[in-house]
Amino acid sequence: MTILAIHGGAGALPRSEMTLERAAGFHEALRHALEVGQTLLANGSRSLDAVEASVVALEDCPLFNAGRGSSFNRDGKIEMEASVMDGSSKHAGSATLLKHVRNPVKLARRVMDQTAHVMLAGADAEVFARQQALALESEEYFFTQFRYEAMLKINVSDSTALSEDIVVPSYLNSHLMSSTVGAVALDADNHLAAASSSGGTTNKYAGRIGQSCIVGSGIYADDKTCAVSCTGFGEAFMRAVTAYDVAAQIEYKKLTLSQAAYAAIHDKLPGLGGLIAIDCSGAISMPFNTAGMYRAWIDKKGRIFTAIYDTCCAWTTSGKIISSATADPLSHCT
């Protein structure tokens, strides 16, 4: 049995702005990223390889706020971050304050595999990326017009989306809330893994670090319990140590994955966001407290699903939609 789930960020476009064409683009991008990781799992690869590959596919897609589609800080610059964690060894790697690394999640994996450290940051992290022969890109590669315009709208008033205490205009929510991409997987050897990558929040201060590179807050993986990847307002997840909290509730309070994930998002999180999680038995949970969350998963029966709001699309393995209006039980942990 192999299981894989991915997310493209909590806080979807308002339904009024989500045209059929836009929705189709998101669903197809999610399906593609899921398929990339699932192909590896089906061929016997490790869960760690699968989550890295799926996140790379999301980083390469400008629709999502990671890698190529990253948001801009208040100086009009890109600063990215990512992390990975192996549930079998508890080893982890992360990188942050990146400006040129094409795929931050690849650098996080190299930090884990090739150094004695957990995190590298800034210019020195990019020196290490060059030493590892990872692809670096110019600033132009990461430029997307709609994310740049979103930053300018807030920048003129000196507002920031760093804290859930700031009231963000509704017309900007679609740009600010799609904050992270991530993946969790269970492989054929029953090993779990998690990954996350992000461009951070729009108009953030230069040097701001979010939850996506923080082990325990943005990601966590332990073969005894679960793998978790979080998305939303990073400061809230850092305050609540959300990813580890899900695993701790399973291990110490003996909650089910659904119970622990639901409590972490709906009862404990001091802000907006969601998470995806898989436990050691292959159960999946995807709670969120925002209007939507871009997500996709393949279940124990090998069925493929993608979703944005409270309904999901079911797909054939050949990439054809079976149904586009199926109620999604995972979003509320029923």
Side-chain angles (χ1 to χ4, degrees), residues 290-305:
T290 54
M293 182 171 74
Y294 301 104
R295 58 204 189 278
W297 66 98
I298 183 163
D299 66 12
K300 293 179 181 179
K301 297 181 180 180
R303 297 176 299 183
I304 297 170
F305 299 93

Side-chain angles (χ1 to χ4, degrees), residues 190-255:
N190 293 318
H191 295 314
L192 291 161
S196 182
S197 181
S198 180
T201 50
T202 297
N203 205 44
K204 64 188 178 183
Y205 280 92
R208 179 261 187 183
I209 295 172
Q211 93 283 0
S212 292
C213 63
I214 305 296
V215 175
S217 294
I219 66 162
Y220 195 73
D222 182 352
D223 281 0
K224 296 186 299 182
T225 53
C226 62
V228 183
S229 179
C230 301
T231 170
F233 279 118
E235 283 70 20
F237 288 93
M238 288 188 279
R239 291 168 187 152
V241 197
T242 302
Y244 175 70
D245 184 59
V246 174
Q249 289 188 82
I250 293 172
E251 182 172 4
Y252 301 119
K253 294 184 69 175
K254 308 304 179 184
L255 298 186

Side-chain angles (χ1 to χ4, degrees), residues 19-260:
T19 64
L20 291 176
E21 183 179 6
R22 272 181 164 180
F26 281 113
H27 282 289
E28 176 54 34
L30 289 165
R31 186 203 64 79
H32 169 69
L34 187 76
E35 184 180 69
V36 168
Q38 181 57 26
T39 298
L40 290 177
L41 288 176
N43 290 330
S45 293
R46 300 167 60 194
S47 54
L48 193 62
D49 297 325
V51 296
E52 179 185 359
S54 285
V55 169
V56 165
L58 293 167
E59 288 175 335
D60 287 343
C61 179
L63 290 175
F64 304 108
N65 180 13
R68 193 172 190 180
S70 292
S71 62
F72 292 84
N73 66 21
R74 61 181 52 205
D75 295 333
K77 301 295 184 180
I78 296 294
E79 288 184 319
M80 303 170 288
E81 60 188 30
S83 61
V84 296
M85 187 166 184
D86 179 3
S88 63
S89 65
K90 296 285 196 68
H91 290 167
S94 72
T96 188
L97 302 179
L98 307 176
K99 296 181 178 180
H100 299 285
V101 177
R102 178 183 178 121
N103 295 113
V105 73
K106 287 187 176 182
L107 179 55
R109 176 74 182 272
R110 297 298 179 90
V111 171
M112 184 184 78
D113 289 343
Q114 302 298 327
T115 79
H117 309 307
V118 171
M119 180 184 288
L120 293 179
D124 291 319
E126 297 202 327
V127 169
F128 178 68
R130 292 188 184 92
Q131 294 171 349
Q132 293 294 307
L134 296 180
L136 278 76
E137 302 287 351
S138 67
E139 291 184 359
E140 288 74 21
Y141 171 83
F142 300 99
F143 183 88
T144 48
Q145 189 66 38
F146 79 97
R147 293 205 190 279
Y148 187 71
E149 291 177 358
M151 180 275 295
L152 291 178
K153 289 176 181 177
I154 304 178
N155 189 266
V156 294
S157 63
D158 200 38
S159 297
T160 177
L162 288 178
S163 169
E164 60 274 12
D165 298 328
I166 301 297
V167 178
V168 180
S170 60
Y171 66 86
L172 292 176
N173 284 347
S174 60
H175 305 293
L176 299 176
M177 283 302 300
S178 182
S179 57
T180 317
V181 304
V184 290
L186 176 70
D187 62 30
D189 294 321
N190 293 318
H191 295 314
L192 291 161
S196 182
S197 181
S198 180
T201 50
T202 297
N203 205 44
K204 64 188 178 183
Y205 280 92
R208 179 261 187 183
I209 295 172
Q211 93 283 0
S212 292
C213 63
I214 305 296
V215 175
S217 294
I219 66 162
Y220 195 73
D222 182 352
D223 281 0
K224 296 186 299 182
T225 53
C226 62
V228 183
S229 179
C230 301
T231 170
F233 279 118
E235 283 70 20
F237 288 93
M238 288 188 279
R239 291 168 187 152
V241 197
T242 302
Y244 175 70
D245 184 59
V246 174
Q249 289 188 82
I250 293 172
E251 182 172 4
Y252 301 119
K253 294 184 69 175
K254 308 304 179 184
L255 298 186
T256 66
L257 178 71
S258 291
Q259 291 170 334

